[in-house]
Amino acid sequence: MYWHYDKLSEKNGTIFVHLAAESESEYTAIYENHGGCERGYFHTEDKVITIPKRTNDDIEIAIPDLILKNNNEKEILLIEGKKSENVQLGIQELEPYYIIENKIILKEYVDYKIDRWVVLYGDIVPDIFQKEYVLFQLFSNGKVWINSKAPRDFKNMINKFIAN
């Protein structure tokens, strides 16, 4: 069989959030790199950019799986997708995102606040400390968990998407 439903991949969580964002919400995906797919392009207000793998001073640029923008709230969400059993690795991968923030995002979106989050897919529930970094979790049975500290528009987006 060439194609099959993937019921195990971290991309299930990030693609779910991406689809919710594209479904009449306040959010727009300005970059996507869902595991195993071709890297996307970074969308600014007036152009499309290929994010380099390294800066001009030869520093590696860590790239999240999904970047969402909310113009109304002037916020950008950097999202790293992981399987629920790899939540700690996802949290660790958030730290070097300061490079993409400073070298690329804030040059284009000067007045925006940036938050870094992990999105999970799977049934292992993170501990209390880990949950602080988890924006959203999609369980294998289709149920979801949204962090109470998630932006209001994000909560509304997910709830509206589920309701449809």
PDB file of all heavy atoms in Angstrom, residues 136-160:
ATOM      1  N   PHE A 136      -1.242  22.594  23.204  1.00  0.00           N
ATOM      2  CA  PHE A 136      -2.377  21.801  22.740  1.00  0.00           C
ATOM      3  C   PHE A 136      -1.942  20.348  22.643  1.00  0.00           C
ATOM      4  O   PHE A 136      -0.800  20.061  22.322  1.00  0.00           O
ATOM      5  CB  PHE A 136      -2.768  22.324  21.345  1.00  0.00           C
ATOM      6  CG  PHE A 136      -3.754  21.494  20.598  1.00  0.00           C
ATOM      7  CD1 PHE A 136      -5.103  21.652  20.800  1.00  0.00           C
ATOM      8  CD2 PHE A 136      -3.329  20.565  19.657  1.00  0.00           C
ATOM      9  CE1 PHE A 136      -6.019  20.897  20.083  1.00  0.00           C
ATOM     10  CE2 PHE A 136      -4.221  19.807  18.935  1.00  0.00           C
ATOM     11  CZ  PHE A 136      -5.581  19.971  19.156  1.00  0.00           C
ATOM     12  N   GLN A 137      -2.873  19.435  22.943  1.00  0.00           N
ATOM     13  CA  GLN A 137      -2.604  18.013  22.747  1.00  0.00           C
ATOM     14  C   GLN A 137      -3.795  17.369  22.068  1.00  0.00           C
ATOM     15  O   GLN A 137      -4.938  17.547  22.494  1.00  0.00           O
ATOM     16  CB  GLN A 137      -2.315  17.307  24.076  1.00  0.00           C
ATOM     17  CG  GLN A 137      -1.959  15.842  23.886  1.00  0.00           C
ATOM     18  CD  GLN A 137      -1.393  15.191  25.142  1.00  0.00           C
ATOM     19  OE1 GLN A 137      -1.209  15.839  26.175  1.00  0.00           O
ATOM     20  NE2 GLN A 137      -1.109  13.906  25.061  1.00  0.00           N
ATOM     21  N   LEU A 138      -3.501  16.638  20.991  1.00  0.00           N
ATOM     22  CA  LEU A 138      -4.498  15.840  20.286  1.00  0.00           C
ATOM     23  C   LEU A 138      -4.266  14.393  20.676  1.00  0.00           C
ATOM     24  O   LEU A 138      -3.174  13.862  20.485  1.00  0.00           O
ATOM     25  CB  LEU A 138      -4.353  16.018  18.772  1.00  0.00           C
ATOM     26  CG  LEU A 138      -5.248  15.154  17.879  1.00  0.00           C
ATOM     27  CD1 LEU A 138      -6.722  15.479  18.109  1.00  0.00           C
ATOM     28  CD2 LEU A 138      -4.862  15.346  16.414  1.00  0.00           C
ATOM     29  N   PHE A 139      -5.281  13.766  21.256  1.00  0.00           N
ATOM     30  CA  PHE A 139      -5.182  12.368  21.667  1.00  0.00           C
ATOM     31  C   PHE A 139      -5.590  11.466  20.506  1.00  0.00           C
ATOM     32  O   PHE A 139      -6.296  11.893  19.588  1.00  0.00           O
ATOM     33  CB  PHE A 139      -6.071  12.113  22.894  1.00  0.00           C
ATOM     34  CG  PHE A 139      -5.603  12.848  24.119  1.00  0.00           C
ATOM     35  CD1 PHE A 139      -6.091  14.121  24.409  1.00  0.00           C
ATOM     36  CD2 PHE A 139      -4.672  12.282  24.970  1.00  0.00           C
ATOM     37  CE1 PHE A 139      -5.651  14.811  25.531  1.00  0.00           C
ATOM     38  CE2 PHE A 139      -4.228  12.970  26.100  1.00  0.00           C
ATOM     39  CZ  PHE A 139      -4.723  14.234  26.373  1.00  0.00           C
ATOM     40  N   SER A 140      -5.170  10.223  20.550  1.00  0.00           N
ATOM     41  CA  SER A 140      -5.425   9.304  19.433  1.00  0.00           C
ATOM     42  C   SER A 140      -6.915   9.035  19.225  1.00  0.00           C
ATOM     43  O   SER A 140      -7.324   8.663  18.135  1.00  0.00           O
ATOM     44  CB  SER A 140      -4.663   7.993  19.626  1.00  0.00           C
ATOM     45  OG  SER A 140      -5.123   7.327  20.775  1.00  0.00           O
ATOM     46  N   ASN A 141      -7.734   9.261  20.257  1.00  0.00           N
ATOM     47  CA  ASN A 141      -9.176   9.052  20.106  1.00  0.00           C
ATOM     48  C   ASN A 141      -9.894  10.305  19.590  1.00  0.00           C
ATOM     49  O   ASN A 141     -11.114  10.337  19.499  1.00  0.00           O
ATOM     50  CB  ASN A 141      -9.782   8.600  21.430  1.00  0.00           C
ATOM     51  CG  ASN A 141      -9.686   9.650  22.533  1.00  0.00           C
ATOM     52  OD1 ASN A 141      -9.208  10.758  22.312  1.00  0.00           O
ATOM     53  ND2 ASN A 141     -10.111   9.286  23.731  1.00  0.00           N
ATOM     54  N   GLY A 142      -9.123  11.357  19.253  1.00  0.00           N
ATOM     55  CA  GLY A 142      -9.703  12.580  18.705  1.00  0.00           C
ATOM     56  C   GLY A 142     -10.012  13.648  19.741  1.00  0.00           C
ATOM     57  O   GLY A 142     -10.338  14.774  19.385  1.00  0.00           O
ATOM     58  N   LYS A 143      -9.924  13.311  21.024  1.00  0.00           N
ATOM     59  CA  LYS A 143     -10.152  14.326  22.064  1.00  0.00           C
ATOM     60  C   LYS A 143      -8.959  15.275  22.095  1.00  0.00           C
ATOM     61  O   LYS A 143      -7.866  14.935  21.655  1.00  0.00           O
ATOM     62  CB  LYS A 143     -10.344  13.664  23.420  1.00  0.00           C
ATOM     63  CG  LYS A 143     -11.624  12.843  23.486  1.00  0.00           C
ATOM     64  CD  LYS A 143     -11.928  12.437  24.909  1.00  0.00           C
ATOM     65  CE  LYS A 143     -13.094  11.493  24.936  1.00  0.00           C
ATOM     66  NZ  LYS A 143     -14.360  12.106  25.094  1.00  0.00           N
ATOM     67  N   VAL A 144      -9.190  16.468  22.622  1.00  0.00           N
ATOM     68  CA  VAL A 144      -8.136  17.465  22.673  1.00  0.00           C
ATOM     69  C   VAL A 144      -8.015  18.049  24.074  1.00  0.00           C
ATOM     70  O   VAL A 144      -8.958  18.003  24.867  1.00  0.00           O
ATOM     71  CB  VAL A 144      -8.374  18.611  21.658  1.00  0.00           C
ATOM     72  CG1 VAL A 144      -8.444  18.085  20.244  1.00  0.00           C
ATOM     73  CG2 VAL A 144      -9.599  19.421  22.011  1.00  0.00           C
ATOM     74  N   TRP A 145      -6.845  18.586  24.352  1.00  0.00           N
ATOM     75  CA  TRP A 145      -6.590  19.350  25.566  1.00  0.00           C
ATOM     76  C   TRP A 145      -5.956  20.659  25.129  1.00  0.00           C
ATOM     77  O   TRP A 145      -5.038  20.675  24.299  1.00  0.00           O
ATOM     78  CB  TRP A 145      -5.643  18.590  26.495  1.00  0.00           C
ATOM     79  CG  TRP A 145      -5.240  19.385  27.709  1.00  0.00           C
ATOM     80  CD1 TRP A 145      -5.951  19.525  28.861  1.00  0.00           C
ATOM     81  CD2 TRP A 145      -4.048  20.158  27.871  1.00  0.00           C
ATOM     82  NE1 TRP A 145      -5.267  20.348  29.735  1.00  0.00           N
ATOM     83  CE2 TRP A 145      -4.096  20.750  29.143  1.00  0.00           C
ATOM     84  CE3 TRP A 145      -2.958  20.420  27.054  1.00  0.00           C
ATOM     85  CZ2 TRP A 145      -3.086  21.568  29.633  1.00  0.00           C
ATOM     86  CZ3 TRP A 145      -1.956  21.247  27.526  1.00  0.00           C
ATOM     87  CH2 TRP A 145      -2.019  21.807  28.808  1.00  0.00           C
ATOM     88  N   ILE A 146      -6.459  21.772  25.666  1.00  0.00           N
ATOM     89  CA  ILE A 146      -5.923  23.098  25.370  1.00  0.00           C
ATOM     90  C   ILE A 146      -5.427  23.698  26.678  1.00  0.00           C
ATOM     91  O   ILE A 146      -6.146  23.708  27.678  1.00  0.00           O
ATOM     92  CB  ILE A 146      -6.993  24.025  24.761  1.00  0.00           C
ATOM     93  CG1 ILE A 146      -7.647  23.380  23.553  1.00  0.00           C
ATOM     94  CG2 ILE A 146      -6.385  25.375  24.396  1.00  0.00           C
ATOM     95  CD1 ILE A 146      -8.900  24.108  23.074  1.00  0.00           C
ATOM     96  N   ASN A 147      -4.217  24.201  26.678  1.00  0.00           N
ATOM     97  CA  ASN A 147      -3.639  24.822  27.863  1.00  0.00           C
ATOM     98  C   ASN A 147      -4.497  26.008  28.285  1.00  0.00           C
ATOM     99  O   ASN A 147      -4.879  26.833  27.447  1.00  0.00           O
ATOM    100  CB  ASN A 147      -2.205  25.276  27.549  1.00  0.00           C
ATOM    101  CG  ASN A 147      -1.438  25.686  28.783  1.00  0.00           C
ATOM    102  OD1 ASN A 147      -1.965  26.337  29.673  1.00  0.00           O
ATOM    103  ND2 ASN A 147      -0.169  25.318  28.818  1.00  0.00           N
ATOM    104  N   SER A 148      -4.785  26.107  29.570  1.00  0.00           N
ATOM    105  CA  SER A 148      -5.591  27.233  30.071  1.00  0.00           C
ATOM    106  C   SER A 148      -4.871  28.563  29.861  1.00  0.00           C
ATOM    107  O   SER A 148      -5.509  29.615  29.840  1.00  0.00           O
ATOM    108  CB  SER A 148      -5.937  27.039  31.549  1.00  0.00           C
ATOM    109  OG  SER A 148      -4.749  26.994  32.321  1.00  0.00           O
ATOM    110  N   LYS A 149      -3.536  28.538  29.694  1.00  0.00           N
ATOM    111  CA  LYS A 149      -2.761  29.760  29.458  1.00  0.00           C
ATOM    112  C   LYS A 149      -2.613  30.080  27.973  1.00  0.00           C
ATOM    113  O   LYS A 149      -1.937  31.041  27.615  1.00  0.00           O
ATOM    114  CB  LYS A 149      -1.381  29.628  30.098  1.00  0.00           C
ATOM    115  CG  LYS A 149      -1.440  29.523  31.614  1.00  0.00           C
ATOM    116  CD  LYS A 149      -0.070  29.370  32.199  1.00  0.00           C
ATOM    117  CE  LYS A 149      -0.174  29.212  33.713  1.00  0.00           C
ATOM    118  NZ  LYS A 149       1.124  28.948  34.323  1.00  0.00           N
ATOM    119  N   ALA A 150      -3.234  29.285  27.137  1.00  0.00           N
ATOM    120  CA  ALA A 150      -3.177  29.537  25.692  1.00  0.00           C
ATOM    121  C   ALA A 150      -3.858  30.868  25.388  1.00  0.00           C
ATOM    122  O   ALA A 150      -4.780  31.288  26.095  1.00  0.00           O
ATOM    123  CB  ALA A 150      -3.882  28.417  24.935  1.00  0.00           C
ATOM    124  N   PRO A 151      -3.415  31.548  24.319  1.00  0.00           N
ATOM    125  CA  PRO A 151      -4.091  32.795  23.942  1.00  0.00           C
ATOM    126  C   PRO A 151      -5.589  32.555  23.700  1.00  0.00           C
ATOM    127  O   PRO A 151      -5.988  31.512  23.194  1.00  0.00           O
ATOM    128  CB  PRO A 151      -3.387  33.192  22.637  1.00  0.00           C
ATOM    129  CG  PRO A 151      -2.057  32.522  22.704  1.00  0.00           C
ATOM    130  CD  PRO A 151      -2.289  31.241  23.441  1.00  0.00           C
ATOM    131  N   ARG A 152      -6.377  33.534  24.086  1.00  0.00           N
ATOM    132  CA  ARG A 152      -7.841  33.440  23.956  1.00  0.00           C
ATOM    133  C   ARG A 152      -8.259  33.094  22.528  1.00  0.00           C
ATOM    134  O   ARG A 152      -9.104  32.222  22.308  1.00  0.00           O
ATOM    135  CB  ARG A 152      -8.474  34.766  24.391  1.00  0.00           C
ATOM    136  CG  ARG A 152      -9.978  34.839  24.233  1.00  0.00           C
ATOM    137  CD  ARG A 152     -10.526  36.218  24.616  1.00  0.00           C
ATOM    138  NE  ARG A 152      -9.701  37.312  24.152  1.00  0.00           N
ATOM    139  CZ  ARG A 152      -9.836  37.915  22.954  1.00  0.00           C
ATOM    140  NH1 ARG A 152     -10.789  37.531  22.133  1.00  0.00           N
ATOM    141  NH2 ARG A 152      -9.044  38.909  22.590  1.00  0.00           N
ATOM    142  N   ASP A 153      -7.659  33.763  21.551  1.00  0.00           N
ATOM    143  CA  ASP A 153      -8.021  33.494  20.157  1.00  0.00           C
ATOM    144  C   ASP A 153      -7.651  32.072  19.736  1.00  0.00           C
ATOM    145  O   ASP A 153      -8.325  31.476  18.904  1.00  0.00           O
ATOM    146  CB  ASP A 153      -7.356  34.501  19.214  1.00  0.00           C
ATOM    147  CG  ASP A 153      -8.020  35.871  19.247  1.00  0.00           C
ATOM    148  OD1 ASP A 153      -9.158  35.976  19.767  1.00  0.00           O
ATOM    149  OD2 ASP A 153      -7.411  36.838  18.741  1.00  0.00           O
ATOM    150  N   PHE A 154      -6.587  31.520  20.308  1.00  0.00           N
ATOM    151  CA  PHE A 154      -6.214  30.139  19.993  1.00  0.00           C
ATOM    152  C   PHE A 154      -7.273  29.181  20.535  1.00  0.00           C
ATOM    153  O   PHE A 154      -7.718  28.271  19.842  1.00  0.00           O
ATOM    154  CB  PHE A 154      -4.839  29.790  20.570  1.00  0.00           C
ATOM    155  CG  PHE A 154      -4.391  28.407  20.205  1.00  0.00           C
ATOM    156  CD1 PHE A 154      -3.718  28.173  19.022  1.00  0.00           C
ATOM    157  CD2 PHE A 154      -4.669  27.329  21.032  1.00  0.00           C
ATOM    158  CE1 PHE A 154      -3.321  26.889  18.672  1.00  0.00           C
ATOM    159  CE2 PHE A 154      -4.278  26.041  20.694  1.00  0.00           C
ATOM    160  CZ  PHE A 154      -3.608  25.819  19.504  1.00  0.00           C
ATOM    161  N   LYS A 155      -7.684  29.395  21.777  1.00  0.00           N
ATOM    162  CA  LYS A 155      -8.733  28.548  22.367  1.00  0.00           C
ATOM    163  C   LYS A 155     -10.005  28.619  21.527  1.00  0.00           C
ATOM    164  O   LYS A 155     -10.627  27.592  21.236  1.00  0.00           O
ATOM    165  CB  LYS A 155      -9.031  28.991  23.803  1.00  0.00           C
ATOM    166  CG  LYS A 155      -7.929  28.744  24.781  1.00  0.00           C
ATOM    167  CD  LYS A 155      -8.360  29.285  26.141  1.00  0.00           C
ATOM    168  CE  LYS A 155      -7.196  29.512  27.039  1.00  0.00           C
ATOM    169  NZ  LYS A 155      -7.578  30.173  28.287  1.00  0.00           N
ATOM    170  N   ASN A 156     -10.387  29.838  21.154  1.00  0.00           N
ATOM    171  CA  ASN A 156     -11.584  30.010  20.333  1.00  0.00           C
ATOM    172  C   ASN A 156     -11.451  29.294  18.993  1.00  0.00           C
ATOM    173  O   ASN A 156     -12.400  28.671  18.511  1.00  0.00           O
ATOM    174  CB  ASN A 156     -11.869  31.498  20.101  1.00  0.00           C
ATOM    175  CG  ASN A 156     -12.299  32.208  21.365  1.00  0.00           C
ATOM    176  OD1 ASN A 156     -12.714  31.583  22.337  1.00  0.00           O
ATOM    177  ND2 ASN A 156     -12.167  33.519  21.361  1.00  0.00           N
ATOM    178  N   MET A 157     -10.269  29.387  18.394  1.00  0.00           N
ATOM    179  CA  MET A 157     -10.019  28.756  17.104  1.00  0.00           C
ATOM    180  C   MET A 157     -10.206  27.241  17.195  1.00  0.00           C
ATOM    181  O   MET A 157     -10.905  26.645  16.377  1.00  0.00           O
ATOM    182  CB  MET A 157      -8.594  29.079  16.647  1.00  0.00           C
ATOM    183  CG  MET A 157      -8.137  28.328  15.413  1.00  0.00           C
ATOM    184  SD  MET A 157      -6.377  28.576  15.066  1.00  0.00           S
ATOM    185  CE  MET A 157      -5.626  27.430  16.246  1.00  0.00           C
ATOM    186  N   ILE A 158      -9.608  26.620  18.196  1.00  0.00           N
ATOM    187  CA  ILE A 158      -9.699  25.168  18.345  1.00  0.00           C
ATOM    188  C   ILE A 158     -11.147  24.759  18.639  1.00  0.00           C
ATOM    189  O   ILE A 158     -11.676  23.825  18.017  1.00  0.00           O
ATOM    190  CB  ILE A 158      -8.751  24.638  19.444  1.00  0.00           C
ATOM    191  CG1 ILE A 158      -7.286  24.882  19.069  1.00  0.00           C
ATOM    192  CG2 ILE A 158      -9.019  23.168  19.746  1.00  0.00           C
ATOM    193  CD1 ILE A 158      -6.792  24.130  17.846  1.00  0.00           C
ATOM    194  N   ASN A 159     -11.799  25.446  19.549  1.00  0.00           N
ATOM    195  CA  ASN A 159     -13.182  25.105  19.900  1.00  0.00           C
ATOM    196  C   ASN A 159     -14.125  25.268  18.700  1.00  0.00           C
ATOM    197  O   ASN A 159     -15.006  24.444  18.484  1.00  0.00           O
ATOM    198  CB  ASN A 159     -13.645  25.927  21.103  1.00  0.00           C
ATOM    199  CG  ASN A 159     -12.982  25.472  22.371  1.00  0.00           C
ATOM    200  OD1 ASN A 159     -12.718  24.278  22.568  1.00  0.00           O
ATOM    201  ND2 ASN A 159     -12.676  26.405  23.248  1.00  0.00           N
ATOM    202  N   LYS A 160     -13.922  26.310  17.923  1.00  0.00           N
ATOM    203  CA  LYS A 160     -14.750  26.525  16.723  1.00  0.00           C
ATOM    204  C   LYS A 160     -14.491  25.438  15.687  1.00  0.00           C
ATOM    205  O   LYS A 160     -15.424  24.914  15.081  1.00  0.00           O
ATOM    206  CB  LYS A 160     -14.431  27.897  16.138  1.00  0.00           C
ATOM    207  CG  LYS A 160     -15.249  28.264  14.932  1.00  0.00           C
ATOM    208  CD  LYS A 160     -14.874  29.662  14.460  1.00  0.00           C
ATOM    209  CE  LYS A 160     -15.600  30.023  13.196  1.00  0.00           C
ATOM    210  NZ  LYS A 160     -15.207  31.336  12.679  1.00  0.00           N
TER     211      LYS A 160
END
